[in-house]
Amino acid sequence: MKIFEIGINDGEYPKLLKETSDPPEKIYACGNLDLLNDKMISIVGSRKCSEYGKNVAYKLGEQLANNGVTVVSGLALGIDSFAHRGALNGEGKTIAVLACGIDQYYPMQNHSLQDRIYKEGLIISEKPGNYKAKNYDFPRRNRIIAGLSLGTCIVEAAVKSGSLITASFALNENRQVYAVPGNITNMQSFGANQLIKEGALCVTGFNDILYDLGINPDKSSNDLS
């Protein structure tokens, strides 16, 4: 595994992340560094997601990747994992941002997925190798997910969740926030539905994000079913 150390003044450092109010002084990366300055959208959401949420995250990831957009997420169980898998099944353009060291597997259940992203996408972290993530590292990690991206899409999130922290970081950096509407009786939809009430762009098909980015879709349908 070849690990690259990228300082904030290096040419490879992501331009959008550098523009944020609290960029990491350095990041560690393993994989395809060319993705660092691609057009990116982050997709995040609940670990305890529904089948609907899994399907939406997977298809959004796949269809965005198929249209030249790199999908960023946090490699967590649930929505994050399905967004990564969808992107890998598309054009393979995905970045996973870790809260732990770049050479650590977390969560262990995603060992094989993380290995695939090392090979086909990119893994990054602001933490050096062998670092074990603490609880406070996860919300700090979320600022990087939002900071890399032109916008953040929330697919299922409870009222109090890390996904909404990511959305807050995006808003604070004047980035677009997207949200997928969900079942009003499902607690994991409350956060996303609330974001829509507060003005987030409602996503009822992947074209909503692509058109917002100025991209005319040409490889996939708009069907999220």
Side-chain angles (χ1 to χ4, degrees):
M1 177 191 299
K2 185 173 183 180
I3 297 174
F4 299 91
E5 182 178 316
I6 303 170
I8 195 168
N9 293 317
D10 292 339
E12 297 88 356
Y13 196 93
K15 294 180 177 63
L16 283 179
L17 184 59
K18 190 174 182 177
E19 292 173 0
T20 61
S21 58
D22 185 21
E25 285 299 314
K26 63 176 67 174
I27 57 174
Y28 300 89
C30 183
N32 183 2
L33 295 183
D34 291 340
L35 299 184
L36 283 174
N37 284 299
D38 270 5
K39 188 171 289 187
M40 304 181 215
I41 289 292
S42 50
I43 300 175
V44 295
S46 176
R47 289 170 173 79
K48 299 177 181 179
C49 57
S50 67
E51 289 301 314
Y52 162 78
K54 294 175 184 177
N55 186 45
V56 169
Y58 184 93
K59 287 199 170 185
L60 277 173
E62 180 181 48
Q63 295 170 337
L64 285 170
N66 279 341
N67 283 276
V69 178
T70 293
V71 174
V72 180
S73 198
L75 201 64
L77 299 176
I79 295 299
D80 291 21
S81 297
F82 281 90
H84 287 306
R85 290 191 178 99
L88 289 169
N89 191 58
E91 296 296 327
K93 300 178 67 171
T94 191
I95 296 174
V97 184
L98 305 183
C100 56
I102 191 72
D103 59 355
Q104 301 295 298
Y105 287 99
Y106 189 89
M108 282 303 297
Q109 297 97 313
N110 276 344
H111 188 290
S112 60
L113 175 60
Q114 188 168 334
D115 278 342
R116 189 177 174 194
I117 298 174
Y118 279 130
K119 295 175 183 177
E120 301 177 37
L122 182 68
I123 304 279
I124 72 170
S125 176
E126 67 176 323
K127 302 299 183 182
N130 298 317
Y131 181 85
K132 306 291 185 183
K134 312 296 191 300
N135 287 340
Y136 57 77
D137 291 313
F138 292 93
R140 291 284 294 164
R141 178 272 310 271
N142 293 348
R143 85 190 195 286
I144 299 176
I145 294 174
L148 286 167
S149 308
L150 292 165
T152 294
C153 181
I154 309 299
V155 181
E156 290 193 340
V159 172
K160 294 182 179 180
S161 70
S163 302
L164 297 190
I165 293 173
T166 310
S168 294
F169 280 124
L171 287 172
N172 289 340
E173 301 298 342
N174 295 314
R175 309 287 171 81
Q176 183 64 274
V177 174
Y178 310 94
V180 176
N183 186 336
I184 63 172
T185 66
N186 180 0
M187 289 181 60
Q188 302 306 321
S189 294
F190 290 178
N193 289 344
Q194 184 63 34
L195 285 173
I196 293 169
K197 288 174 67 175
E198 293 172 356
L201 185 63
C202 182
V203 174
T204 56
F206 83 99
N207 284 358
D208 295 335
I209 298 177
L210 292 174
Y211 285 137
D212 191 57
L213 296 176
I215 297 172
N216 291 319
D218 60 0
K219 294 186 178 180
S220 305
S221 74
N222 193 39
D223 182 15
L224 289 178
S225 64

